[in-house]
Amino acid sequence: MSMFTGVSIVDGDKQSSCDTSAIYAGDADSGYHLLMVRGYLRTKEELPTGESARTGLFTMGGHDWYVEYYPNGINKDCADFISLDVTLLFDDDDDPFDMVVEAKVSFSLIDQVGKQNLMYICQVRKTSTFSSSAICWGCDKFVRRDALERSSDLKGDCFTIRCDIMVVRKDSKSQDALADMNQHFSNLLQTKVGADVTFEVSGERFAAHRCVLAARSKVFMAQLFGPMKETSTVIQIKDMEATVFRALLIFIYTDIFPLREEEIMEEDEMSGVMEEGQEDKPAKDEMTLQYLQNMFVAADRFDLQRLKFICEKRLSEHIGVSSVMYTLALAEQHQCQGLKEACLKFMQVQSPSCLQQVMATNGWDHVVSTYPSVLKEIIAKIALNRCK
């Protein structure tokens, strides 16, 4: 259960001062703190880019934290956004080399404190490490100011932000056991010991273990043990690249999202070949995007929901003017509402010139011809944004 740790009020009519009423949550691992901004327009006038209003301390997971609110962004790159930071306060007695805290953090814009209906979320689903050299985690582009000012979330020049923190307790023995198990299954895949099924993908063959595949995927369960199970000595997998199927097997056996082969090679060759290893960034980004799209399709095809979720999150982080329509088509095709919403929200806040660039892409033509209903949703989103 998430514990309430108190509320902080930033008041623009009082020179953007902040009063905090903290509630002691003890050693509870999960909790949230509310940051209410009153007199928003005044805070925007009084705090230029890079300056913040800071909450008082609140306790979560046995540690003290505070939040910083930047109404004009933390730096010039996000000057059109509201930025937020959460910081872990270390005691002077803490050993800077031994003191490491891992936590998951999210910021949510809520419409009513009582109902706490989450309207906009910026979160990190992976664990962040807080240490003496990295004491904070931030969301530099939490929400565009113009979007907030046109929205119903800003009521009476006030709005409320919820900061959730979940401290991750590490059991060293269980962590080591999990790492060992991942390594053991990885070795099983690599050595092929006891393998009892072979797949052929794009001319390349892969040996695997029926029970492992069936335990991880309902699709493989039906394919290998169901009434219509495959009886061929070699099972053909069509419409998939060998590199994607190899990555799929790695995830099935280890539950770890596999890097692209090029990325693995880059890491292995990092020393001594920096100049040779520098790819053109746009080309590298394009390869990463294509890899994520292929993995997303494969995860959906074999009903690997966790892998699909990871791909959805990473694709959401790679949305751009040139790729948004292809990603939107992918989300619609595979019924991924979260990814679809991320694409629509991206387009909703773009300038007219950026939208023209989007319309000039081949992806736009593909969506218009294949998913005309999505085009109506795009128009509705943009129109709603313009009317606010």
Side-chain angles (χ1 to χ4, degrees), residues 316 318-325 340-351 354-355 358:
S316 297
H318 283 77
I319 295 174
V321 170
S322 61
S323 65
V324 61
M325 296 308 293
K340 179 179 177 180
E341 281 298 320
C343 292
L344 292 175
K345 285 181 180 179
F346 173 85
M347 297 187 66
Q348 188 177 16
V349 299
Q350 298 306 306
S351 64
C354 285
L355 289 175
V358 172

Side-chain angles (χ1 to χ4, degrees), residues 94-359:
D94 291 334
D95 187 331
F97 296 101
D98 292 338
M99 191 60 181
V100 174
V101 176
E102 295 194 343
K104 294 183 179 181
V105 181
S106 70
F107 290 113
S108 310
L109 186 62
I110 58 179
D111 59 351
Q112 295 180 42
V113 175
K115 295 182 180 179
Q116 296 205 12
N117 298 318
L118 304 184
M119 302 300 292
Y120 184 93
I121 298 177
C122 177
Q123 64 183 329
V124 56
R125 289 190 171 94
K126 67 179 181 180
T127 301
S128 294
T129 300
F130 294 82
S131 66
S132 57
S133 60
I135 61 174
C136 65
W137 177 84
C139 186
D140 293 350
K141 297 181 178 180
F142 175 63
V143 61
R144 287 186 65 95
R145 283 196 309 278
D146 54 0
L148 173 66
E149 291 164 10
R150 290 193 298 267
S151 73
S152 59
D153 304 317
L154 184 65
K155 299 176 181 178
D157 206 27
C158 303
F159 64 95
T160 303
I161 295 167
R162 169 172 163 162
C163 174
D164 283 84
I165 300 175
M166 184 177 74
V167 175
V168 178
R169 305 288 188 183
K170 273 203 169 184
D171 182 335
S172 59
K173 291 184 178 180
S174 63
Q175 291 289 327
D176 291 343
L178 181 60
D180 287 344
M181 185 166 62
N182 290 341
Q183 186 60 52
H184 294 161
F185 273 91
S186 177
N187 291 341
L188 190 66
L189 176 63
Q190 293 176 18
T191 61
K192 305 180 180 64
V193 174
D196 55 3
V197 62
T198 301
F199 297 90
E200 184 169 314
V201 188
S202 299
E204 192 170 340
R205 292 196 173 190
F206 300 89
H209 305 78
R210 292 173 182 266
C211 288
V212 176
L213 301 180
R216 298 278 282 157
S217 164
K218 293 179 181 178
V219 174
F220 276 126
M221 175 67 81
Q223 186 177 25
L224 300 174
F225 294 103
M228 304 296 291
K229 65 182 179 182
E230 292 274 1
T231 57
S232 305
T233 54
V234 178
I235 299 176
Q236 301 287 333
I237 301 293
K238 299 180 179 179
D239 301 321
M240 183 175 292
E241 296 177 4
T243 54
V244 174
F245 190 76
R246 181 183 295 107
L248 192 77
L249 288 178
I250 291 173
F251 179 82
I252 287 175
Y253 276 75
T254 67
D255 205 43
I256 297 173
F257 185 82
L259 297 173
R260 287 190 301 119
E261 291 183 352
E262 290 82 358
E263 292 173 326
I264 296 172
M265 291 174 63
E266 285 173 12
E267 289 188 357
D268 291 342
E269 300 171 0
M270 190 62 72
S271 58
V273 293
M274 288 295 292
E275 293 183 2
E276 294 180 10
Q278 289 178 341
E279 296 181 60
D280 179 54
K281 189 176 186 302
K284 185 176 179 180
D285 289 345
E286 179 63 30
M287 286 191 293
T288 298
L289 180 62
Q290 185 64 56
Y291 175 72
L292 290 173
Q293 290 173 342
N294 291 339
M295 289 299 294
F296 176 82
V297 172
D300 187 57
R301 176 173 174 177
F302 290 100
D303 195 22
L304 295 167
Q305 291 303 311
R306 189 172 118 73
L307 178 58
K308 184 178 178 182
F309 175 80
I310 294 173
C311 292
E312 174 190 345
K313 177 67 170 60
R314 297 199 177 191
L315 283 170
S316 297
E317 296 168 351
H318 283 77
I319 295 174
V321 170
S322 61
S323 65
V324 61
M325 296 308 293
Y326 279 118
T327 303
L328 181 57
L330 202 65
E332 182 71 6
Q333 179 184 355
H334 295 276
Q335 300 178 337
C336 187
Q337 190 61 31
L339 184 57
K340 179 179 177 180
E341 281 298 320
C343 292
L344 292 175
K345 285 181 180 179
F346 173 85
M347 297 187 66
Q348 188 177 16
V349 299
Q350 298 306 306
S351 64
S353 60
C354 285
L355 289 175
Q356 287 181 343
Q357 294 179 46
V358 172
M359 294 173 66

